[in-house]
Amino acid sequence: QPSSSSGGGSRPPRTAIYATQVPTTMTSSPTSSPSSQPTITTGSPTTTEDYFVAYVDEIARNISEPSINLEVHIQRGIALDHLKFHDREHTWVDTPEAIIRERYIMLVFNRLSQLGANWNSPTCEWEGVSCDEDGRIVEMSFPSASLVGSLAHELGHLERLEIMDFKTHGIDNKIPTE
């Protein structure tokens, strides 16, 4: 398992936008406009959780292209929610960006291709996935798995991937050109 301090470097400060509703005050007679308006406050996330969620959202936004396919959109959302809210054992604020990015990519791939990998185990321990000493994915080999569905566009962002073996599968699209 990779060290959480490898690669990455320092992250720039994140800015989030929060909308808050100021409570309205009661008056003796109704008015034509509310006595308060929602206020928008910009600033940094206030908790480590807020920071991590905003950071993971930014990573996913930079990888995933907009999809008009509702099923693809839903599966990406499930993978992203898992990463943001249920994956603390494998990713957190001190995890290098490349590892978070690859974890997201593989969670999307797992959903779209119906791989069936255990989300609760580190990606580098998934059957058919090999990683280098930095914990980066270098090989995906599923010659006997029954993959169906579609290949995730996001696979094109696995920067160190050298080998993909998807022989005899029911994948319904081509390998991403990225």
Side-chain angles (χ1 to χ4, degrees):
Q1 183 169 340
S3 165
S4 63
S5 62
S6 64
S10 65
R11 296 184 180 123
R14 303 285 182 236
T15 300
I17 298 176
Y18 303 96
T20 57
Q21 178 68 47
V22 178
T24 58
T25 56
M26 296 298 289
T27 61
S28 57
S29 61
T31 61
S32 60
S33 63
S35 59
S36 68
Q37 295 292 322
T39 58
I40 305 294
T41 306
T42 52
S44 296
T46 57
T47 67
T48 303
E49 176 86 12
D50 291 342
Y51 172 84
F52 183 73
V53 167
Y55 186 61
V56 170
D57 279 337
E58 180 183 321
I59 289 171
R61 197 172 30 257
N62 290 332
I63 294 172
S64 293
E65 64 184 20
S67 177
I68 57 170
N69 180 323
L70 182 59
E71 183 61 25
V72 169
H73 181 71
I74 289 170
Q75 298 308 325
R76 283 178 179 157
I78 291 169
L80 183 60
D81 282 351
H82 179 81
L83 183 61
K84 291 190 301 190
F85 303 113
H86 307 289
D87 209 42
R88 296 296 184 260
E89 189 173 326
H90 309 296
T91 55
W92 192 229
V93 293
D94 59 347
T95 305
E97 179 180 340
I99 301 297
I100 294 173
R101 183 175 53 247
E102 290 191 0
R103 179 77 173 165
Y104 169 70
I105 291 166
M106 293 304 291
L107 291 171
V108 171
F109 170 72
N110 189 29
R111 294 294 303 183
L112 291 178
S113 66
Q114 300 176 23
L115 176 62
N118 181 352
W119 286 29
N120 296 318
S121 64
T123 310
C124 293
E125 293 179 9
W126 289 5
E127 185 174 340
V129 175
S130 298
C131 297
D132 62 15
E133 62 279 352
D134 296 326
R136 304 284 303 277
I137 298 167
V138 294
E139 181 178 350
M140 295 172 58
S141 181
F142 307 105
S144 60
S146 297
L147 301 179
V148 295
S150 59
L151 286 179
H153 152 82
E154 290 84 354
L155 289 175
H157 293 276
L158 293 173
E159 297 165 349
R160 295 188 186 174
L161 183 65
E162 297 172 3
I163 299 170
M164 287 179 69
D165 182 358
F166 296 158
K167 295 177 186 165
T168 66
H169 294 295
I171 300 294
D172 62 8
N173 64 341
K174 297 179 181 176
I175 295 174
T177 58
E178 293 83 7

